[in-house]
Amino acid sequence: KNEVEQSPQNLTAQEGEFITINCSYSVGISALHWLQQHPGGGIVSLFMLSSGKKKHGRLIATINIQEKHSSLHITASHPRDSAVYICAVGMEYGNKLVFGAGTILRVKS
Amino acid sequence: GAGVSQSPRYKVAKRGQDVALRCDPISGHVSLFWYQQALGQGPEFLTYFQNEAQLDKSGLPSDRFFAERPEGSVSTLKIQRTQQEDSAVYLCASSLWWTPRETQYFGPGTRLLVL
């Protein structure tokens, strides 16, 4: 079993829909990161969470430490949101990140 | 300011060749990470530097992989006697400090294809 599991693996949505991507982890963490990766490889950090909720524009990220679960929400989705969204956890000890396999999101107009 | 840069962006190597991949982190960033991303997978940790010290190399797949950061800035990942299973995107990331709760800034990656 992977230490970080994401669901769904693939997601297709219509423009304007509310989108949720889930991440569960099985290890002790110091922080959880949500990343966005566009075709061609560039990875951008969206959020880093250690508790609660963060919002940036149309993106909202939440984390429940007790349940070892995080969600990334996109409101009013747009085709430009199409990308791979990756959940990664910073291990409780040490500095490395452990990544989920990613969720491929396609938003159709 | 400039972000993390990597070179080359693409590399085709014949099996058995040695390759060297370069990472220029954001100036002043203490921490530097190398990750390997196979097609369709999430990145996997290779190694971590704090300044010039390589503090964690637990993710390096074999002794053919070697990384250095001699002056605490630019880093090089070297792969000796490349094999087909080394084909992947190699990502470099840097962060300002050494604490786990730091944003990592990623480079564009080097796409390595071993024939």
Side-chain angles (χ1 to χ4, degrees):
Chain A
K1 186 180 189 300
N2 292 336
E3 292 167 312
V4 181
E5 298 274 1
Q6 282 186 241
S7 63
Q9 285 185 302
N10 290 278
L11 180 57
T12 300
Q14 284 296 132
E15 183 174 358
E17 284 186 357
F18 180 83
I19 289 164
T20 296
I21 300 170
N22 295 299
C23 176
S24 296
Y25 54 93
S26 58
V27 294
I29 69 169
S30 58
L32 184 141
H33 302 250
W34 280 103
L35 309 164
Q36 182 191 55
Q37 185 171 32
H38 280 283
I43 292 179
V44 174
S45 179
L46 298 174
F47 295 102
M48 182 181 56
L49 296 161
S50 54
S51 65
K53 175 179 174 179
K54 285 190 176 179
K55 184 176 189 293
H56 181 69
R58 294 180 295 105
L59 302 178
I60 303 165
T62 63
I63 188 168
N64 184 319
I65 298 293
Q66 287 71 35
E67 295 186 2
K68 295 188 174 181
H69 181 269
S70 175
S71 293
L72 176 69
H73 305 287
I74 305 176
T75 62
S77 59
H78 190 276
R80 65 175 174 266
D81 298 326
S82 298
V84 178
Y85 291 84
I86 303 173
C87 169
V89 299
M91 304 299 281
E92 194 168 25
Y93 302 104
N95 291 69
K96 71 179 186 183
L97 293 180
V98 177
F99 296 78
T103 295
I104 302 172
L105 172 65
R106 181 180 169 216
V107 181
K108 298 193 288 186
S109 55
Chain B
V4 178
S5 61
Q6 293 186 245
S7 61
R9 292 292 312 278
Y10 302 93
K11 177 70 179 178
V12 179
K14 292 183 180 177
R15 190 163 54 94
Q17 247 185 318
D18 297 349
V19 298
L21 312 180
R22 177 186 169 110
C23 172
D24 283 82
I26 294 173
S27 178
H29 276 198
V30 167
S31 296
L32 186 145
F33 304 82
W34 283 100
Y35 299 98
Q36 181 190 58
Q37 186 175 25
L39 190 64
Q41 305 288 323
E44 291 193 2
F45 171 81
L46 293 177
T47 187
Y48 162 65
F49 290 86
Q50 188 180 117
N51 295 308
E52 68 277 8
Q54 189 175 20
L55 298 187
D56 188 344
K57 53 182 181 179
S58 62
L60 295 176
S62 76
D63 59 8
R64 296 186 296 103
F65 286 70
F66 171 77
E68 60 183 3
R69 194 186 184 198
E71 297 178 1
S73 55
V74 171
S75 178
T76 303
L77 176 68
K78 297 178 180 177
I79 309 173
Q80 297 176 322
R81 303 181 304 280
T82 53
Q83 300 178 5
Q84 285 184 322
E85 60 261 31
D86 300 335
S87 297
V89 175
Y90 290 86
L91 295 164
C92 175
S94 70
S95 63
L96 182 58
W97 296 117
W98 57 87
T99 61
R101 296 183 183 183
E102 289 285 331
T103 296
Q104 292 190 19
Y105 297 87
F106 286 80
T110 294
R111 189 175 298 272
L112 173 65
L113 177 62
V114 181
L115 302 177

